[in-house]
Amino acid sequence: MNAPDAWSGTPVLVPAPAPAPSLELATPTSAWNNGKSSGRLLGELDLASTPAAVRLGRSYVRELVGQYFGADRSELGDLELLTSEALTQSVLYARPRRNGTVALSVLHIDRFVRVEVADCGTPPGQSRLPDESLQNHGRGLVLMKTLSADFGSHRNRNGTATFWFGVAIREGWRLP
């Protein structure tokens, strides 16, 4: 499932290639490697579903992607921020997986880094976002729309839910 229809899917800060590949692994497009995904798992980590998971997950993604692509910390700010937002939403507003954790996965797909956070989703009838003042409501979604190349979520067969986002590999990053 992609972001709401109001979002065109075109990144704001990073020009999209033409035609833009979909980062949605479940529904590859014909423009995406002849219908086959080419993702490579860089790493995955189970984190206790607590606020401390946000800092640990952010550091993990920064170090993993930095080492893999030879990027320094100053180039990874957007990736860190979006990872924090995704993990915060999961830890605060979703149910943990049966073992009390959320799963964090990092993939390299074509010219993108895709980060996934898996949990058990929100309880039935409850929104992932709490009732807050309009000033605080939805800032994470605005950041996702602005800084990611694509994002979305889907339900898995095992009852978990996965939220994912992708960021373009910056010029100057070493491609393995």
Side-chain angles (χ1 to χ4, degrees):
M1 169 190 319
N2 283 336
D5 293 333
W7 169 241
S8 68
T10 304
V12 174
L13 299 178
V14 180
S22 171
L23 291 176
E24 179 88 51
L25 293 177
T27 57
T29 65
S30 59
W32 182 252
N33 240 0
N34 295 323
K36 297 177 184 170
S37 64
S38 61
R40 177 178 177 195
L41 180 67
L42 301 181
E44 53 189 347
L45 183 66
D46 284 344
L47 298 163
S49 186
T50 65
V54 176
R55 181 183 50 79
L56 294 170
R58 181 179 59 235
S59 297
Y60 176 74
V61 170
R62 179 186 63 237
E63 294 300 318
L64 184 67
V65 172
Q67 289 177 6
Y68 188 80
F69 291 105
D72 65 36
R73 186 174 186 160
S74 66
E75 298 174 300
L76 300 171
D78 291 350
L79 185 63
E80 282 187 83
L81 178 60
L82 295 177
T83 299
S84 290
E85 289 296 326
L87 281 168
T88 297
Q89 287 297 311
S90 179
V91 167
L92 294 181
Y93 307 120
R95 295 172 296 162
R97 296 181 309 159
R98 288 189 180 151
N99 60 0
T101 65
V102 296
L104 177 66
S105 303
V106 183
L107 298 96
H108 173 208
I109 303 173
D110 195 21
R111 296 172 308 274
F112 300 90
V113 171
R114 176 175 156 139
V115 175
E116 299 178 345
V117 177
D119 53 39
C120 278
T122 56
Q126 183 179 344
S127 169
R128 204 166 239 218
L129 295 172
D131 294 329
E132 295 178 357
S133 69
L134 290 177
Q135 181 181 12
N136 293 327
H137 185 70
R139 275 197 268 187
L141 183 58
V142 170
L143 289 170
M144 286 294 165
K145 288 179 181 180
T146 304
L147 300 176
S148 72
D150 200 3
F151 67 97
S153 64
H154 61 272
R155 276 257 175 232
N156 305 312
R157 290 183 184 159
N158 64 1
T160 62
T162 299
F163 176 82
W164 59 268
F165 68 88
V167 295
I169 295 171
R170 304 278 191 234
E171 190 157 327
W173 288 12
R174 170 181 45 85
L175 288 176

